Amino acid sequence: SEKLRVPEALTFDDVLLRPKESRVEPDDADLTTRVSTNVEVSIPILSAAMDTVTESGLAVEMARQGGLGVLHRNMTIDRMVEEITRVKRADELIIPFDDVVTADPEMSVREVDELMAREGVGGAPVVNTRGEVLGIISSTDIRPHLEVNEDDPVTEAMTDEVITAPDDIDARDAFDLMYDHKIERVPVVDDENLLVGLVTMQGILQRREYEQAVRDADGQLRVGVAVSPFEMDRALAADEAGADVLFIDTAHAHNLNVIDGATEIKESVDADVVVGNVGTREAAEELVDFADGIKVGIGPGSICTTRVVSGAGMPQITAVSQVADVAAKHDVPVIADGGIRYSGDAIKAIAAGADAVMLGSYFAGTDEAPGRVVTMNGKKYKQYRGMGSVGAMKSGDTERYLKEDPDDEDEYVPEGVEAATPYKGTLKSELHQLSGGMQSGMGYVGAETISEFKDRAEFVRVSSAGQAEGHAHDVVITDEAPNYSPN
Ligand code: RVP
């Protein structure tokens, strides 16, 4: 019958990159790419907007390491604003007034010592109630050998000839100032000598450590945030708070109501607006005229049961290539979201036409992801759940997956599961494996940049015998590799 004359759709395991002539050493392969019209990243990797993956802690580290974290939206708008602010401020040169630990001149040396220990800082400006800087105290000023009495007022022990800086100081000048005076911190004051912030040597050195960090024009880390297409106030608040990219976060963005909402949001904000998820050429056609990026993935996620529950979906390599065919003509970046288990999958998604990839399960087990490490049968795990799982829907995500009455558990029709994922250590080492593997793929294809790679890459089709051959086979693995576990 006509109905059964159906096209074939492929996913990661169905294809491999055809090796090609190359002079490219993997280390020289440049992973720089664009995730949306105005946002460039050093590695083509985003973390999923899920409540067991991306909150400010992981987003900060993603941006420091060269990628982009996308905050989930299972939180109130106020909390979202706080989370965005945390990322934007994380590596700020000038610690803003509200976050500076200050001592008041009435305090005793002991009180200040305790205060600094409690707050984990090595020094504090001493300011009066007007906010005037009277001096600066550091833990080295109050070592016992300096014969200060613990009950003395802090004003006896502090340095009162304070070196200060104006609020337009840049990193270079601040470094030189501290270096020349052999000091660790400089209060930043306005023209009335009122404290407005603090620059620390530690902060400057830390910024220098992250060479690949993804920052905005003001030097702040970049961050993305998920918003619903039907929650304009959340989108406006995220934009106002300084989010760099809003991700219109839906399971089916070829829904015309979603497109209407997304269009309205795009017209109302300064941030870039990426829309998703879609998985077909026709859906891409609807989005290319206004979206700053298109996110692809209908059902590939590790915790996703959409395809089983709804019977709908699109294997990810085909989905990405269909969307990319359309998006490339309009110069709109494409993000492949979900189903990536290995670095090889990630670079195959790029070969299919994506500009960047988004991962959930790969990062959920890291230290920076939300949630505790639990031990089961002597192995360590962290929780990982779909945003369409009953647990995630109950704690607030009310729109992404269809549901009638939020208070009645029997009414939920989940499209995701709640799970545990092996504990993995630092995000930095996971990203190192992921991007190293992707660079290796570029080496096999002979491409030095992502755009060259997209042009040169060709796939071969793999049989199930070929797939088995590709995995470790006919051996017993004795030592776990950092980037591979069978299935
Ligand atoms: P993975 O990396 O395979 O774990 O997939 C993560 C992606 O799965 C997310 O970025 C999102 O697109 C999708 N997801 C999240 N929740 C659910 C669900 O409950 N079905 N799916």
Side-chain angles (χ1 to χ4, degrees):
S1 109
E2 266 308 304
K3 271 276 180 242
L4 292 181
R5 226 170 282 182
V6 289
E8 185 177 59
L10 304 175
T11 190
F12 300 107
D13 282 348
D14 295 318
V15 293
L16 279 170
L17 297 171
R18 192 164 177 274
K20 289 190 159 182
E21 184 179 271
S22 174
R23 264 190 204 283
V24 179
E25 298 302 334
D27 277 350
D28 298 330
D30 178 359
L31 290 169
T32 307
T33 188
R34 232 169 22 134
V35 299
S36 60
T37 312
N38 299 296
V39 174
E40 195 174 88
V41 289
S42 313
I43 56 173
I45 302 169
L46 295 87
S47 65
M50 299 172 72
D51 62 6
T52 48
V53 181
T54 313
E55 294 190 343
S56 53
L58 189 123
V60 165
E61 191 64 10
M62 281 298 294
R64 283 177 177 165
Q65 299 299 335
L68 187 75
V70 183
L71 300 168
H72 69 85
R73 62 179 170 94
N74 230 4
M75 57 176 104
T76 62
I77 294 178
D78 286 345
R79 167 126 189 266
M80 173 201 71
V81 168
E82 267 170 45
E83 290 280 290
I84 293 170
T85 309
R86 273 201 199 133
V87 183
K88 297 308 286 184
R89 293 216 175 140
D91 283 355
E92 227 171 26
L93 178 65
I94 299 176
I95 303 166
F97 178 82
D98 285 344
D99 296 341
V100 179
V101 177
T102 58
D104 107 43
E106 311 293 303
M107 287 172 132
S108 69
V109 167
R110 181 187 307 109
E111 284 170 326
V112 173
D113 200 19
E114 284 165 3
L115 170 75
M116 293 195 298
R118 200 164 57 236
E119 299 284 344
V121 298
V126 181
V127 298
N128 64 18
T129 45
R130 279 196 59 219
E132 255 170 321
V133 180
L134 308 178
I136 190 160
I137 180 91
S138 80
S139 38
T140 49
D141 297 330
I142 46 185
R143 288 282 131 72
H145 71 269
L146 291 175
E147 291 176 7
V148 271
N149 188 331
E150 290 207 311
D151 296 316
D152 283 347
V154 65
T155 44
E156 305 265 307
M158 72 186 187
T159 306
D160 43 19
E161 286 186 9
V162 195
I163 315 267
T164 59
D167 63 3
D168 57 356
I169 192 158
D170 65 17
R172 176 87 257 159
D173 290 346
F175 180 86
D176 290 346
L177 187 66
M178 286 188 276
Y179 189 83
D180 290 346
H181 292 88
K182 305 273 172 292
I183 52 178
E184 289 288 320
R185 49 190 71 71
V186 180
V188 178
V189 296
D190 64 14
D191 36 20
E192 287 175 56
N193 196 35
L194 300 182
L195 184 71
V196 295
L198 186 75
V199 179
T200 69
M201 190 59 127
Q202 192 193 3
I204 291 187
L205 295 178
Q206 184 169 314
R207 279 166 65 98
R208 287 193 180 176
E209 218 177 282
Y210 305 114
E211 288 167 10
Q212 300 218 89
V214 172
R215 301 183 195 279
D216 62 21
D218 296 329
Q220 296 184 320
L221 295 174
R222 288 210 190 264
V223 65
V225 57
V227 300
S228 149
F230 309 121
E231 231 187 331
M232 181 59 90
D233 45 346
R234 181 178 290 267
L236 294 176
D239 190 42
E240 175 89 354
D244 296 281
V245 191
L246 305 189
F247 287 76
I248 305 296
D249 179 44
T250 76
H252 185 36
H254 201 180
N255 173 323
L256 298 178
N257 299 319
V258 166
I259 295 177
D260 290 345
T263 309
E264 218 174 297
I265 289 174
K266 169 64 192 168
E267 284 164 1
S268 317
V269 299
D270 291 329
D272 278 2
V273 176
V274 170
V275 186
N277 280 9
V278 295
T280 62
R281 184 176 293 121
E282 299 79 9
E285 298 280 7
E286 297 286 337
L287 303 180
V288 282
D289 290 334
F290 73 97
D292 292 302
I294 301 178
K295 194 151 66 69
V296 181
I298 308 289
S302 59
I303 37 48
C304 182
T305 54
T306 292
R307 294 181 190 169
V308 180
V309 170
S310 73
M314 186 65 123
Q316 186 70 338
I317 287 288
T318 294
V320 169
S321 65
Q322 286 207 4
V323 171
D325 279 349
V326 177
K329 287 193 193 99
H330 295 79
D331 201 26
V332 177
V334 171
I335 298 162
D337 172 19
I340 290 169
R341 305 147 301 170
Y342 304 108
S343 47
D345 294 343
I347 196 68
K348 286 177 195 175
I350 307 271
D355 295 272
V357 293
M358 175 178 269
L359 301 89
S361 75
Y362 206 96
F363 300 140
T366 62
D367 292 323
E368 288 83 352
R372 281 184 314 117
V373 177
V374 294
T375 307
M376 292 187 285
N377 297 325
K379 280 202 76 178
K380 290 174 166 181
Y381 296 88
K382 283 189 91 161
Q383 187 198 17
Y384 180 48
R385 65 181 185 187
M387 295 307 287
S389 67
V390 171
M393 287 198 284
K394 266 165 74 177
S395 67
D397 186 45
T398 49
E399 281 156 24
R400 181 163 177 164
Y401 299 90
L402 184 74
K403 155 171 81 73
E404 303 287 314
D405 173 1
D407 295 323
D408 184 352
E409 205 170 315
D410 291 340
E411 293 282 317
Y412 288 110
V413 182
E415 289 185 23
V417 297
E418 298 176 67
T421 183
Y423 166 71
K424 282 180 160 170
T426 64
L427 178 68
K428 183 180 176 182
S429 69
E430 288 308 294
L431 286 173
H432 173 75
Q433 292 303 331
L434 196 54
S435 49
M438 294 177 82
Q439 286 177 304
S440 179
M442 292 168 73
Y444 281 108
V445 170
E448 211 151 41
T449 66
I450 292 283
S451 71
E452 204 185 323
F453 176 77
K454 290 208 287 185
D455 288 344
R456 272 178 76 83
E458 282 172 18
F459 287 122
V460 291
R461 182 69 202 275
V462 182
S463 65
S464 53
Q467 199 205 320
E469 183 184 64
H471 278 267
H473 58 87
D474 302 301
V475 292
V476 178
I477 294 179
T478 54
D479 294 277
E480 243 170 69
N483 55 358
Y484 177 75
S485 63
N487 81 73

